[in-house]
Amino acid sequence: MLRLLGQDARQLAPYLDVLSPMLYQQMVGREEHWVGAIAGYFTALAVGPVWPILQAGKVDAEQFAAALTAVQQSGAAGVLVFTLADMTVDFWPLLADFQASANLIANSSLA
């Protein structure tokens, strides 16, 4: 299967502290498991931590939870969300349950 990506993690790695691929599954017409596959791909290639950016708009709580689970299982160090304005009251507890790598400082306001 041919995969085309716009970021070469190996070439970018020497210049980055963190790699944050924009994994907006709804915008590109993919299922939530795709988020985990691509997060795992970047995690395997990158030298430093990978914090995928997840889509919060145009997804429901079930889809958001599935994307978070996929990132967690991928081995990525953390997660970012696009956009804050799209975070609904249902999404915050799901984000609070995300287990970041031990090398990250937890946001105690989410606990």
Side-chain angles (χ1 to χ4, degrees), residues 45-61:
L45 291 179
V47 174
V50 174
W51 301 349
I53 307 170
L54 298 184
Q55 177 179 347
K58 298 184 176 138
V59 297
D60 60 29

Side-chain angles (χ1 to χ4, degrees), residues 24-99:
Y24 308 149
Q25 75 275 14
Q26 290 295 324
M27 290 182 188
V28 297
R30 300 293 184 130
E31 298 291 326
E32 287 68 35
H33 63 84
W34 172 83
V35 172
I38 300 302
Y41 168 82
F42 279 111
T43 299
L45 291 179
V47 174
V50 174
W51 301 349
I53 307 170
L54 298 184
Q55 177 179 347
K58 298 184 176 138
V59 297
D60 60 29
E62 185 177 322
Q63 292 167 316
F64 189 72
L68 281 169
T69 298
V71 169
Q72 184 107 35
Q73 293 173 347
S74 75
V79 67
L80 301 169
V81 176
F82 175 81
T83 73
L84 181 61
D86 290 321
M87 289 292 289
T88 68
V89 51
D90 296 332
F91 289 9
W92 289 106
L94 301 171
L95 187 60
D97 288 342
F98 181 84
Q99 299 294 312

